[in-house]
């Protein structure tokens, strides 16, 4: 049995003078969910396309179950769900599934059974006979997810699988990913959603500008960041001045604004929280609520890069 399902060593991909993936190395164990977490443009999609055997690296090496992803025999071991759905709009859901099942060499009877099971797995049974052009963006992504599973792959590559989905459907897909892990599937998940990586991952590699800048379990990354807590302050009418006002109270001056909520990094919440409240009230800001929470992976990313995962 292969203990390391995926081995990436010094992988680099250049497009002209631009380096999209910069000397990346990591190992993914069999049956593990490994997330590539980073903002759009971090190099995640380029890396995933190399792992899927679609794009050749400029240098470095990749092994999937001890084989090259560019070997035709390896392709049946990999299920790839790209960021943009590859589906045929004028065909129905089941027709799309049957088309891809044929590419995997499944016979008609076996293919139809497999396709119907997978459409049910992703919650699209009632839309099986509807043309894909009437599907929502989230439904097309779920169909793409089902297509990636047709060959019963051992290694599953999911590139931003829940982008554009509403929270309820996103959690539904998370449940399905967790079910696949229980089947001992090895899953590499590229995402810019902090909560997605935190909820699903055994380990996370944080990517920025083509490089992996940190790697570990979600809890390890939070612990190593040096952050102990985050003070969440909700204000009635925050303005641009309030960020500068609170920076002196934040760990390394790190304050995140999310609509009406300010997230203030701190290594001593018990001492800092009263000072924050006093400062805000003295400047006539009206508070709705204040709570103290553990740091998130977004806080870790901000700590490492000085930027948010999703820029608004």
């Amino acid at each position: 049995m292969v203990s390391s399902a995926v081995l990436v060593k010094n992988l680099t991909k250049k497009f002209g003078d631009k380096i999209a993936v910069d000397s990346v190395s990591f190992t993914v164990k069999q049956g593990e969910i490994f997330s590539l977490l980073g903002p759009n443009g971090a190099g995640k999609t380029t890396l995933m396309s190399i792992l899927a055997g679609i794009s050749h690296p400029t240098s470095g090496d990749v092994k999937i179950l001890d084989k090259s992803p560019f070997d035709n025999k390896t392709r049946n071991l990999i299920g790839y769900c790209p960021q943009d759905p590859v589906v045929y709009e004028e065909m129905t859901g089941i027709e799309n599934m049957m088309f891809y099942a044929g590419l995997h060499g499944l016979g008609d009877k076996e293919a139809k059974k497999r396709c119907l099971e997978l459409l049910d797995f992703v919650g699209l049974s009632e839309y099986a006979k509807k043309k894909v052009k009437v599907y929502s963006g989230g439904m097309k992504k779920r169909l793409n997810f089902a297509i990636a599973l047709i060959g019963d792959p051992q290694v599953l590559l999911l590139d931003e699988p829940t982008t554009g989905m509403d929270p309820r459907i996103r959690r539904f897909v998370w449940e399905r990913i967790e079910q696949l892990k229980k089947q001992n599937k090895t899953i590499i998940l590229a995402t810019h959603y902090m909560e997605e990586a935190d909820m699903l991952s055994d380990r996370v590699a944080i990517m920025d500008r083509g490089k992996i800048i940190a790697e570990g379990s979600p809890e390890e990354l939070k612990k190593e960041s040096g952050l102990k807590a985050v003070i969440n302050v909700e204000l009635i009418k925050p303005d641009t001045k309030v960020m500068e006002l609170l920076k002196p109270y934040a760990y390394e001056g790190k304050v995140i604004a999310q609509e009406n909520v300010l997230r203030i990094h701190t290594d001593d919440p018990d001492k800092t929280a009263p000072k924050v409240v006093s400062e805000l009230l003295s400047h006539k800001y009206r508070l709705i609520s204040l709570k103290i929470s553990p740091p998130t992976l977004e806080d870790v990313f901000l700590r490492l890069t000085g930027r948010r995962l999703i820029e608004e």
Side-chain angles (χ1 to χ4, degrees):
M1 181 179 287
V2 180
S3 59
S4 295
V6 180
L7 179 64
V8 175
K9 188 175 181 182
N10 299 325
L11 201 69
T12 296
K13 177 68 176 181
K14 297 180 181 179
F15 295 98
D17 294 333
K18 181 183 177 183
I19 302 176
V21 178
D22 192 352
S23 193
V24 163
S25 299
F26 61 85
T27 301
V28 183
K29 299 175 185 176
Q30 194 158 348
E32 184 176 37
I33 297 180
F34 183 86
S35 286
L36 300 168
L37 176 66
N40 293 331
K44 305 187 302 297
T45 292
T46 301
L47 179 53
M48 293 289 268
S49 69
I50 295 171
L51 295 175
I54 294 170
S55 175
H56 285 265
T58 304
S59 61
D61 193 29
V62 182
K63 287 288 186 289
I64 307 286
L65 300 171
D66 281 342
K67 300 178 179 67
S68 167
F70 303 101
D71 184 334
N72 286 332
K73 294 179 181 178
T74 312
R75 293 178 188 272
N76 289 329
L77 304 175
I78 301 170
Y80 177 45
C81 184
Q83 184 171 356
D84 296 317
V86 183
V87 292
Y88 296 96
E89 300 270 333
E90 293 299 326
M91 293 167 63
T92 65
I94 188 65
E95 286 170 346
N96 269 275
M97 294 288 291
M98 289 293 288
F99 170 77
Y100 282 102
L103 296 181
H104 282 276
L106 299 181
D108 285 350
K109 187 175 180 181
E110 181 188 4
K112 189 168 184 180
K113 181 176 183 293
R114 177 74 176 156
C115 292
L116 289 173
E117 286 174 351
L118 288 172
L119 285 169
D120 181 60
F121 181 73
V122 299
L124 290 176
S125 290
E126 61 183 294
Y127 298 96
K129 296 183 179 180
K130 293 185 183 295
K131 287 190 175 182
V132 172
K133 66 181 180 181
V134 303
Y135 284 23
S136 67
M139 290 167 67
K140 290 174 185 175
K141 297 209 76 161
R142 280 188 280 154
L143 179 61
N144 218 39
F145 181 29
I147 288 168
L149 297 171
I150 286 176
D152 194 22
Q154 295 182 44
V155 176
L156 191 57
L157 307 174
L158 304 177
D159 190 2
E160 302 282 2
T162 64
T163 301
M165 293 182 183
D166 66 50
R168 181 180 63 84
I169 296 299
R170 181 174 295 147
R171 289 187 176 275
F172 170 83
V173 173
W174 291 354
E175 290 171 4
R176 293 302 183 258
I177 292 171
E178 287 174 333
Q179 285 185 33
L180 292 167
K181 175 182 166 59
K182 290 176 182 176
Q183 297 171 23
N184 203 37
K185 304 290 185 188
T186 302
I187 300 168
I188 299 183
L189 171 70
T191 182
H192 63 268
Y193 290 131
M194 166 274 300
E195 187 182 7
E196 186 162 270
D198 204 345
M199 288 279 293
L200 295 174
S201 309
D202 295 299
R203 287 186 301 129
V204 176
I206 296 179
M207 286 193 72
D208 187 41
R209 295 170 177 162
K211 291 180 176 288
I212 289 179
I213 58 174
E215 183 184 331
S217 71
E219 290 310 311
E220 285 170 347
L221 290 171
K222 293 171 199 173
K223 185 176 180 180
E224 290 169 5
S225 73
L227 299 174
K228 290 185 179 177
V230 180
I231 301 170
N232 302 270
V233 183
E234 186 176 4
L235 302 175
I236 290 179
K237 287 186 179 180
D239 55 31
T240 55
K241 296 178 182 177
V242 72
M243 295 280 288
E244 293 300 320
L245 186 69
L246 295 180
K247 279 185 178 180
Y249 301 97
Y251 183 79
E252 295 187 344
K254 298 296 191 298
V255 180
I256 301 176
Q258 295 176 321
E259 295 181 348
N260 290 349
V261 177
L262 301 174
R263 293 173 53 79
I264 304 153
H265 294 180
T266 178
D267 57 1
D268 193 343
D270 293 335
K271 287 185 178 179
T272 305
K275 293 177 182 178
V276 165
V277 172
S278 177
E279 187 74 28
L280 289 169
L281 293 178
S282 69
H283 285 80
K284 310 300 182 184
Y285 288 101
R286 296 175 64 190
L287 280 69
I288 298 173
S289 67
L290 182 147
K291 68 176 182 179
I292 297 169
S293 64
T296 66
L297 290 176
E298 168 125 30
D299 297 313
V300 175
F301 185 81
L302 181 68
R303 168 81 175 82
L304 292 169
T305 68
R307 307 190 322 278
R308 292 190 56 194
L309 268 169
I310 303 176
E311 297 292 348
E312 295 178 350

